[in-house]
Amino acid sequence: LRLHNLLYIPQSLNYPNRTIQEIYQECKNGIEIDETIQNIKNIGLSEEKNIINLLKNNWKKNINNLSGGEKQIVSILKSAVKEFDFVILDEPTSNLDVDRSTVLVEIINYLKNKGKIIIIITHDEYLKNKCDAIMYLSKNGETKEL
């Protein structure tokens, strides 16, 4: 279930020495840059954010050469490579600048419109305001839904 239906993007991304291509091919065997770019265009991401150029310029390069925010976006875009039913994002804006945070929201909206279940763990007020439901967790494990 986890391998085929769940995409989990942790806050701290520690990839082994792999290229972006290799990481994406773990999601979808044989995927190449042209198909990946078409899938990203289908999301309708703003072109001015240079997401496509980020992938084109780094497709066969080690992902660990990217900044934290770039790795975060590349990781989240795995949802454009393969259809995941559940997406869990742990502090997804922690490494993102304002432009990339906007891209993240565009991806989240796309996934929501496709009926995907998205769980976001965050302290980011802007991102919280984009959620359909919010649950607060306390130190003693109690929950409170708003």
Side-chain angles (χ1 to χ4, degrees), residues 135-144:
M135 182 173 288
Y136 289 93
L137 302 175
S138 69
K139 289 183 181 181
N140 63 3
E142 294 176 8
T143 61
K144 180 174 127 183

Side-chain angles (χ1 to χ4, degrees), residues 14-63:
N14 297 312
Y15 282 107
N17 288 325
R18 286 196 199 122
T19 66
I20 295 172
Q21 178 183 21
E22 291 168 331
I23 291 167
Y24 277 36
Q25 287 180 347
E26 290 173 359
C27 295
K28 185 174 181 184
N29 193 23
I31 192 155
E32 291 296 334
I33 188 68
D34 293 336
E35 182 182 355
T36 302
I37 289 170
Q38 187 55 53
N39 290 348
I40 291 168
K41 286 181 178 180
N42 292 342
I43 292 175
L45 292 178
S46 303
E47 287 290 329
E48 68 271 8
K49 305 300 191 257
N50 290 320
I51 300 304
I52 291 173
N53 284 335
L54 172 67
L55 288 173
K56 277 183 183 178
N57 295 337
N58 295 288
W59 185 248
K60 293 191 182 261
K61 294 180 182 172
N62 188 321
I63 192 167

